Amino acid sequence: MDQKVILINLPPSTSYSYRSSGSIYPATGILVVGTILKSHGLTVQVIDGTVKSDYIKKTLNSIDKDTVMIGFSVMTSQVPLAFNLSKLIKAKYPEIPIVWGGIHPTLMPKETLEEDYVDMVVIGDGEITFPELLYGISKKSKLSSIKGIGFKQNKKIIINE
């Protein structure tokens, strides 16, 4: 099976209308994480909502049987957009883990995990943590050993420092 991860860069806010490939909001964080995941043999698809206005449709159409995780990079101004898309994904694909990284879940991991459609958060830089998290999920190992994440276990929120 070819494992696929979808990484999403959202528009900076709900009122954002400027779309350009030279965006002032580049997806550098998820591009770095995506590059590292590709070096581990995964298929990575990056969807950039700052460039593509149809990023919601594109995301939902990109999910297939090989999709093992969907990752979001989230600033606080993007929370409404991220919640909306996460909710749509969970309604159609409840088994696919949704992971939020970025400044918002880093500063507010517990509050972020209180939402039903966020399964895990990456706290701080995700370059090392995200591949470890993906490995832990694919091997069904204990997430409690992975530093820098938050997750839910038996409806309890656990934050690993």
Side-chain angles (χ1 to χ4, degrees):
M1 176 173 76
D2 190 28
Q3 293 185 317
K4 178 168 105 179
V5 175
I6 298 172
L7 301 175
I8 302 164
N9 183 47
L10 297 160
S13 70
T14 55
S15 61
Y16 181 73
S17 62
Y18 178 74
R19 306 267 183 236
S20 168
S21 59
S23 172
I24 59 170
Y25 298 99
T28 53
I30 60 174
L31 291 175
V32 169
V33 169
T35 300
I36 292 168
L37 293 175
K38 282 184 89 165
S39 75
H40 285 77
L42 291 134
T43 299
V44 178
Q45 182 173 0
V46 174
I47 298 172
D48 193 345
T50 65
V51 178
K52 302 287 184 189
S53 61
D54 63 344
Y55 70 94
I56 293 173
K57 181 179 177 185
K58 189 169 179 63
T59 299
L60 294 173
N61 288 340
S62 296
I63 300 169
D64 59 28
K65 65 178 177 46
D66 295 331
T67 305
V68 294
M69 183 185 293
I70 299 172
F72 287 78
S73 178
V74 184
M75 297 183 296
T76 301
S77 64
Q78 298 168 311
V79 166
L81 299 167
F83 279 148
N84 178 52
L85 185 50
S86 295
K87 186 176 181 179
L88 291 170
I89 293 167
K90 275 294 177 198
K92 196 169 180 183
Y93 305 97
E95 72 286 354
I96 297 176
I98 294 179
V99 181
W100 283 22
I103 193 68
H104 183 81
T106 293
L107 295 175
M108 295 183 267
K110 181 181 179 293
E111 295 81 356
T112 303
L113 285 166
E114 287 173 349
E115 295 299 328
D116 291 336
Y117 12 88
V118 179
D119 299 308
M120 291 163 247
V121 296
V122 173
I123 302 164
D125 293 332
E127 292 85 0
I128 295 171
T129 307
F130 204 91
E132 287 179 2
L133 177 58
L134 187 59
Y135 180 80
I137 290 169
S138 68
K139 298 298 179 196
K140 304 214 184 320
S141 62
K142 292 188 180 223
L143 297 178
S144 58
S145 65
I146 302 171
K147 294 181 181 180
I149 67 165
F151 60 98
K152 299 171 191 171
Q153 186 173 11
N154 301 321
K155 299 192 182 208
K156 181 181 175 192
I157 293 174
I158 298 169
I159 307 292
N160 296 348
E161 299 301 325

